[in-house]
Amino acid sequence: ATRAPRRLAVPAYDAARRAFWRLRRENPALTRTPEPWMCLLRCASKAGAFEDSYAIADAAFCAAKPQFEANENGCSDDVAILLCEVAVNTRRAAACNATFDAARAIGFLYEDPPPPPEAFDVMIRCSQLQQLPER
């Protein structure tokens, strides 16, 4: 039997989720751009909603695929960083490493343009969590 996902009692995240779904009903074309998805993902990440964050990222890539593939305005880099942050914040260092490595493997978080410092800050926190100074 599958278990229902745990509901988080985080008012800001709950409000963002309700606003996002209202926006999606009222103006579906807007949710075919990265911006509303990124707002929702930021809220989920800050709330520590690990499973929700990965599901939101997956849905965002499907809904706004051309923009994410082109990494418009660094949106794909931001997704990778937010997923790494929620993984570290929920003490899932292996998920953080896998996400970071996968993002680099498919061409995100590279030198042109340079990745934001947050990308490396979160990896330092991940290494500290795993106690791996060499990473």
Side-chain angles (χ1 to χ4, degrees):
T2 58
R3 196 173 70 176
R6 182 175 61 108
R7 303 308 279 165
L8 297 172
V10 180
Y13 174 48
D14 287 339
R17 222 176 46 236
R18 283 191 304 274
F20 177 82
W21 292 114
R22 187 174 52 250
L23 171 72
R24 194 161 189 189
R25 272 192 316 274
E26 294 170 3
N27 192 348
L30 251 152
T31 58
R32 289 191 286 273
T33 64
E35 290 80 10
W37 291 99
M38 294 304 299
C39 290
L40 183 62
L41 180 57
R42 275 189 187 86
C43 289
S45 176
K46 299 301 179 200
F50 179 80
E51 292 85 4
D52 284 5
S53 293
Y54 278 81
I56 291 164
D58 188 44
F61 276 112
C62 291
K65 190 173 183 172
Q67 295 96 326
F68 280 107
E69 284 179 345
N71 197 15
E72 250 179 43
N73 299 320
C75 60
S76 297
D77 291 347
D78 291 345
V79 168
I81 294 166
L82 288 169
L83 293 177
C84 287
E85 282 180 359
V86 73
V88 167
N89 292 341
T90 57
R91 307 195 57 77
R92 292 177 165 111
C96 177
N97 279 325
T99 300
F100 188 84
D101 292 343
R104 297 278 301 207
I106 59 175
F108 302 127
L109 298 174
Y110 262 90
E111 289 76 29
D112 189 28
E118 296 86 17
F120 299 102
D121 292 345
V122 74
M123 289 311 297
I124 290 169
R125 288 180 39 230
C126 179
S127 296
Q128 290 170 337
L129 179 63
Q130 286 186 302
Q131 298 177 350
L132 296 174
E134 72 279 359
R135 178 118 170 118

